[in-house]
Amino acid sequence: MSHRATIDFLLYDWLQAERLCERPYHAEHSRETYTAVIDLAEQVATEQFAPINRLTDIHEPEFDGTTVHLPKETPLAMKAYNDTGLLAASKDAELGGMQLPTVVEIAAMSFFYKSSVSLAAYPMLTRGNANTILAHGTPKQIEVFAKGGIEGRTFGTMCLSEPQAGSSLSDIATRAVPDMAGDGLGPADWAADPLGPRYRLTGHKMWISGGEHEMGDNIVHLVLAKIPGPDGKPVPGVKGISLFIVPRKLVKADGTITSQRNDVALAGLNHKCGYRGTVNTLLNFGEGKFPVNGQAGAVGYLIGKEGEGLKCMFTLMNEARISVGLGATMLGYAGFEASLEYAKQRPQGRRMGEGGKDHSAPQIAIVEHTDVKRMLMMQKAIAEGGLALALLCAQLVDDEKTGTPEQAERANLLLELLTPIAKSWPSAWAQEANSLAIQILGGYGYTRDFPVEQHWRDNRLNMIHEGTHGIQGLDLLGRKVIMNGGKALSVLAERISETVTRAGQVDGLAEHANALAGALQKVGASTKAAWATGVPEEALANATPYLQAFGHTVLAWIWLELGLAAKAAQQAGQWDIGPLGTGFLQGKLACTDYFFRYELPKIDAWLGVVSRRDATCAQAQADWF
Ligand SMILES: Cc1cc2nc3c(=O)[nH]c(=O)nc-3n(C[C@H](O)[C@H](O)[C@H](O)COP(=O)(O)OP(=O)(O)OC[C@H]3O[C@@H](n4cnc5c(N)ncnc54)[C@H](O)[C@@H]3O)c2cc1C
């Protein structure tokens, strides 16, 4: 099965993505070039990623004490991906890129996430890593460390977490001190190294995805560490954190990768519940296993300004958060497609007639049972809604980059606000969708003979990494909705109100437009109520229910937008042809109804505790549990 028709509907009927070609930056593009890129992505993902998704789950990465072994199919899949040129798709032509709109790039990526989320993680990390160097690095750092990632020659990681510092990054203990010893490659003066001020790093980084393997020419680690202050002690808080480029193999100033290992050693692999195709590592920096110029300490080059490491890393983290949301969504999609196919074929039970069941009649396929339809509808609403959300965010990235100054400013504010939703809404609900996919397959869904249990296991990660669900709620209510005097929230409210006005005049959608206007008003009122006393502990006591309600309101907005696009397409007689027939658009409209009738009403319960600043959980004592 393919979600291609929905991609086309979202890109062209809803987001009018061809209009981006009117901007000079994308002038070389057209719907034909978009189609060519998406066709290629769909083909490579289906032929090279999907067939080995189970294999990479069963054959986890192994470490023999010296080398990490991945299934031999993994590097072949990476090569196939790199050959598509997608790593450079949205980059400037002078960097070898295609200047493709991000929204089309993300649409193309969706096929890889659906086919194998854990294989897609390697290019996702590499892309974010290269983008961070592009945004904050010197021209030399870009030439030497970002280009390899863009061209698919090297891989990238993000090294933030430590065993004792996950959510609380201000507590990282990795240290960076000026490299007085010299690395034997660059100048003796640490501050004069052409690759950037040169430091030696010492510390442990936990959970590092893609941290050690033999693929590509090198691995470029982006590492957060603290430079000690004048008293020799690390500066407390996030202000003391700086960002460093730490290559796995040392690199000369002209970009030549040497065979000499940097002092970054693999302490061990983490054995995960899912997502097993991505190797996950505990890395020791500077323990002396691979001394450089006779000295322990991993060589790293400062990127960006000292003390601004977390700020720079947010380039990667924001991008990664949207990608995590898309990955979660596409796992939801994969489960939806698998359970739909199963439900159409599995005969079980009989229709309830007027006089009860006729046991002599043939059995019906379970897709005919109302409760199974409910489970399919919920999965469809989550998968298609989540995909729409990811594409909307991607188009905001395009507006930030190539829109008018006013479009760019509004897009920037909206993205800040929507990033916690783009990350956390699919992570929570597509997990639920995967659970429903298992439910539809009944006992078979609970076995490893079908793919749906793997989707569920793979998806369970997404509420944990890239800022846990709870941390996203704190970010949304504690920071995003109140920043700049609530400006971002006002921009969102304007956008939602525009949709409400348009939908209010359309038959079949006016009822939903009213409900959305009500939901927006309730979110606004509970934001104020939460902060009424100005005491953060009280305001944030129910930040997660707030996140859930906010997410559902945003998705209701998206579903109303999709309802409008479906109505317009119906009137224009589009999609009324071919094998999809009229059902395609009717399905979108039914999903809009579903979301407004079954999902949106849930926000009342969530916002109730927020508005009351309910302290039931806040006041509970550890010994009450
Ligand atoms: C498979 C996998 C891959 C990963 N890949 C990477 C990677 O490539 N690079 C990288 O740097 N990291 C990576 N991570 C780390 C990931 O980002 C962290 O696991 C995550 O940030 C949470 O940190 P923690 O596991 O230490 O949990 P903790 O921070 O200990 O959190 C445990 C629980 O306490 C809650 N909690 C913690 N603090 C607060 C608070 N202040 N208020 C309310 N609740 C709180 C959390 O929400 C969570 O439910 C990965 C993790 C996994 C599992």
Side-chain angles (χ1 to χ4, degrees):
M1 284 179 81
S2 172
H3 62 284
R4 180 57 184 275
T6 293
I7 285 276
D8 287 347
F9 171 75
L10 295 175
L11 283 180
Y12 306 119
D13 288 277
W14 179 43
L15 293 172
Q16 316 286 327
E18 302 111 302
R19 287 202 192 148
L20 291 168
C21 306
E22 292 162 16
R23 297 181 183 171
Y25 188 79
H26 304 301
E28 300 287 306
H29 286 283
S30 61
R31 183 156 171 171
E32 283 69 42
T33 62
Y34 292 179
T35 302
V37 172
I38 298 172
D39 280 350
L40 179 66
E42 181 170 9
Q43 188 198 341
V44 174
T46 311
E47 291 176 4
Q48 309 285 338
F49 274 43
I52 61 168
N53 191 40
R54 179 59 101 181
L55 180 143
T56 54
D57 180 59
I58 295 168
H59 300 286
E60 286 189 79
E62 282 175 17
F63 180 43
D64 64 11
T66 312
T67 307
V68 167
H69 300 278
L70 304 177
K72 64 180 188 323
E73 290 80 359
T74 300
L76 298 177
M78 290 305 119
K79 179 168 182 331
Y81 176 87
N82 291 341
D83 288 348
T84 63
L86 267 172
L87 272 165
S90 61
K91 301 282 177 303
D92 298 352
E94 65 192 42
L95 285 166
M98 299 183 220
Q99 304 198 168
L100 188 74
T102 308
V103 68
V104 182
E105 181 186 46
I106 292 292
M109 277 308 293
S110 70
F111 291 94
F112 290 95
Y113 287 118
K114 193 178 77 179
S115 298
S116 178
V117 76
S118 62
L119 288 175
Y122 290 105
M124 186 270 270
L125 283 160
T126 302
R127 178 177 177 272
N129 176 294
N131 283 349
T132 306
I133 300 173
L134 283 177
H136 305 287
T138 61
K140 188 76 187 168
Q141 288 176 331
I142 291 172
E143 179 64 31
V144 173
F145 296 113
K147 267 200 143 178
I150 295 168
E151 290 165 8
R153 289 183 281 110
T154 57
F155 284 75
T157 70
M158 52 191 290
C159 303
L160 298 83
S161 310
E162 298 181 3
Q164 83 300 342
S167 301
S168 180
L169 287 174
S170 58
D171 291 311
I172 61 166
T174 300
R175 290 170 136 241
V177 295
D179 176 26
M180 301 299 184
D183 65 353
L185 293 173
D189 179 4
W190 66 276
D193 196 305
L195 295 177
R198 198 177 61 233
Y199 286 79
R200 291 291 186 115
L201 278 72
T202 321
H204 311 284
K205 290 289 176 183
M206 181 58 168
W207 304 118
I208 306 310
S209 299
E212 174 69 9
H213 53 73
E214 301 298 325
M215 296 190 293
D217 297 343
N218 209 354
I219 302 176
V220 175
H221 302 291
L222 279 178
V223 186
L224 291 181
K226 289 192 171 184
I227 300 171
D231 60 357
K233 292 186 188 149
V235 179
V238 293
K239 278 194 235 107
I241 301 177
S242 302
L243 182 60
F244 299 87
I245 299 172
V246 181
R248 176 180 185 250
K249 288 185 197 157
L250 293 177
V251 180
K252 290 185 187 163
D254 66 0
T256 312
I257 300 168
T258 71
S259 57
Q260 192 190 341
R261 286 289 298 258
N262 199 354
D263 196 9
V264 183
L266 178 65
L269 301 183
N270 293 309
H271 300 286
K272 295 170 288 174
C273 161
Y275 234 95
R276 294 182 185 161
T278 320
V279 61
N280 191 273
T281 59
L282 169 59
L283 296 179
N284 287 348
F285 288 78
E287 67 171 8
K289 184 162 181 190
F290 303 108
V292 176
N293 209 15
Q295 289 248 350
V299 171
Y301 307 96
L302 180 70
I303 171 168
K305 292 202 185 103
E306 183 177 335
E308 292 192 358
L310 204 56
K311 203 171 130 197
C312 299
M313 198 63 139
F314 258 103
T315 304
L316 206 169
M317 278 150 69
N318 280 335
E319 193 175 313
R321 284 175 180 180
I322 295 172
S323 300
V324 164
L326 178 65
T329 291
M330 296 321 297
L331 281 166
Y333 231 118
F336 168 49
E337 289 178 353
S339 61
L340 175 60
E341 200 174 307
Y342 182 88
K344 284 179 178 169
Q345 284 165 13
R346 167 76 174 166
Q348 199 71 195
R350 291 173 177 81
R351 211 179 294 282
M352 191 73 77
E354 268 184 21
K357 284 182 193 166
D358 173 3
H359 291 281
S360 62
Q363 296 201 86
I364 56 171
I366 59 170
V367 72
E368 302 295 337
H369 294 303
T370 300
D371 193 50
V372 174
K373 288 193 256 189
R374 174 189 64 81
M375 292 190 277
L376 288 168
M377 193 65 94
M378 185 169 185
Q379 289 183 74
K380 182 175 167 72
I382 293 164
E384 295 185 3
L387 181 57
L389 174 63
L391 294 183
L392 174 76
C393 288
Q395 202 178 46
L396 291 172
V397 172
D398 287 322
D399 281 350
E400 257 188 328
K401 194 167 152 187
T402 58
T404 62
E406 197 204 338
Q407 279 171 328
E409 195 203 335
R410 286 170 68 84
N412 180 272
L413 285 166
L414 264 183
L415 257 185
E416 285 271 342
L417 186 64
L418 289 180
T419 300
I421 304 299
K423 191 269 169 183
S424 64
W425 193 87
S427 300
W429 294 100
Q431 172 79 22
E432 182 63 25
N434 286 151
S435 179
L436 291 176
I438 295 175
Q439 194 70 15
I440 288 178
L441 270 75
Y444 300 95
Y446 195 60
T447 69
R448 274 175 282 165
D449 299 330
F450 288 85
V452 286
E453 61 82 33
Q454 187 187 343
H455 300 145
W456 187 91
R457 283 187 291 107
D458 286 350
N459 223 346
R460 190 60 191 83
L461 172 61
N462 290 318
M463 279 176 85
I464 299 171
H465 66 165
E466 278 314 320
T468 62
H469 203 60
I471 295 297
Q472 300 297 331
L474 294 171
D475 183 40
L476 180 70
L477 183 54
R479 211 164 69 80
K480 298 289 174 70
V481 291
I482 53 174
M483 66 183 188
N484 302 341
K487 205 167 167 191
L489 190 55
S490 303
V491 175
L492 178 67
E494 274 172 36
R495 290 280 303 261
I496 292 181
S497 301
E498 268 167 41
T499 310
V500 165
T501 307
R502 277 189 290 131
Q505 295 150 12
V506 177
D507 252 7
L509 296 180
E511 159 206 346
H512 303 327
N514 274 337
L516 182 58
L520 180 63
Q521 190 273 330
K522 286 176 202 167
V523 168
S526 50
T527 310
K528 281 203 185 106
W531 280 104
T533 58
V535 180
E537 257 196 350
E538 291 181 17
L540 302 178
N542 297 292
T544 298
Y546 180 83
L547 176 77
Q548 311 267 80
F550 201 104
H552 258 47
T553 304
V554 168
L555 265 292
W557 169 48
I558 284 177
W559 270 112
L560 193 55
E561 282 274 320
L562 301 188
L564 279 165
K567 285 266 180 190
Q570 260 182 348
Q571 271 174 3
Q574 283 159 1
W575 295 100
D576 201 357
I577 43 165
L580 293 167
T582 53
F584 180 76
L585 294 175
Q586 281 166 352
K588 303 282 181 261
L589 289 165
C591 227
T592 306
D593 288 341
Y594 168 83
F595 203 87
F596 276 88
R597 293 173 187 160
Y598 286 71
E599 295 297 325
L600 189 62
K602 290 177 182 168
I603 69 167
D604 288 334
W606 291 321
L607 291 178
V609 289
V610 177
S611 300
R612 291 195 302 276
R613 295 186 298 285
D614 195 292
T616 308
C617 298
Q619 285 172 356
Q621 303 296 310
D623 65 357
W624 294 0
F625 295 104

